Amino acid sequence: LQDLQLLTDVITSHGVPSRTQPVPGSQQVQLYFSNPDLVWAADYPRPRFGQGAFSSMLQAVHRRLTGTTLPNAKWFGKPHPEPYRIAEQLLAQQAVRLGLADAAALAAPGQLFSSIFAVGDNPAADVRGANQAGPPWVSVLVRSGVFQGAGNDAQDPAHVVVADVAAAVEAGLHRARSSRWHSMR
């Protein structure tokens, strides 16, 4: 609870926790969350709370104290679009460095690839993010982490569901054999 208390103090005081009230006209604190995952897989047999659980608690406490939503909060990480756009850009830069594409491809990096496989174990983060990113992203759900169910996830269904990461690589290689990217090699 110490982290929750400290952040609440910082947010409600506009960055100076020792103040009882923010100075009029002072700037509100910009708050960044690196990952919205509610749960994640760890060595423990059941999923553990992630930063998404903490941000949900902070939002609920802030709403109860102030009657308002959490100001100036920004979430990064899956399922938000930023990680997918950054990955597309980095993959396009690598293709240019390898001589597989010309520099013009950097203007629209997602169009360079027929498929980019997003492999993950969390339907609400990994699969939802890849599906929302759209083509060329292909969501691959593995059953070796947060998701342990049979079949596909009902709320956030993946394009491909496999047992583990090794099977995801095999599925990606199988699908890529007929793709534009594979034929460029």
Side-chain angles (χ1 to χ4, degrees):
L1 293 177
Q2 285 180 322
D3 293 340
L4 191 60
Q5 181 67 63
L6 178 60
L7 275 176
T8 298
D9 291 346
V10 169
I11 293 165
T12 58
S13 68
H14 290 197
V16 184
S18 60
R19 290 184 191 147
T20 56
Q21 295 291 319
V23 173
S26 63
Q27 185 175 2
Q28 291 181 337
V29 173
Q30 182 69 47
L31 188 60
Y32 295 96
F33 293 103
S34 63
N35 191 317
D37 286 2
L38 183 63
V39 293
W40 62 286
D43 291 336
Y44 195 76
R46 297 196 33 88
R48 311 317 296 156
F49 288 136
Q51 192 179 49
F54 182 79
S55 68
S56 294
M57 288 187 301
L58 184 58
Q59 289 178 81
V61 167
H62 185 80
R63 190 173 296 115
R64 288 278 306 268
L65 288 173
T66 67
T68 64
T69 59
L70 198 56
N72 295 329
K74 175 89 173 135
W75 283 260
F76 291 93
K78 303 168 288 184
H80 299 286
E82 290 91 354
Y84 299 92
R85 301 292 86 86
I86 291 168
E88 289 170 4
Q89 190 66 42
L90 292 172
L91 288 168
Q93 289 171 5
Q94 184 69 20
V96 169
R97 278 195 293 276
L98 293 171
L100 298 170
D102 61 41
L106 298 176
Q111 296 176 7
L112 176 63
F113 306 98
S114 59
S115 299
I116 302 174
F117 298 92
V119 179
D121 68 336
N122 188 331
D126 305 322
V127 173
R128 183 181 300 158
N131 290 346
Q132 288 176 350
W137 290 94
V138 177
S139 57
V140 182
L141 179 60
V142 296
R143 292 188 185 103
S144 56
V146 171
F147 184 77
Q148 302 273 323
N152 206 340
D153 185 69
Q155 187 172 352
D156 291 297
H159 295 112
V160 179
V161 181
V162 293
D164 54 29
V165 174
V169 171
E170 285 298 318
L173 289 172
H174 177 74
R175 183 169 174 162
R177 286 188 179 95
S178 63
S179 73
R180 186 174 82 216
W181 178 257
H182 182 72
S183 65
M184 291 171 69
R185 293 184 190 176

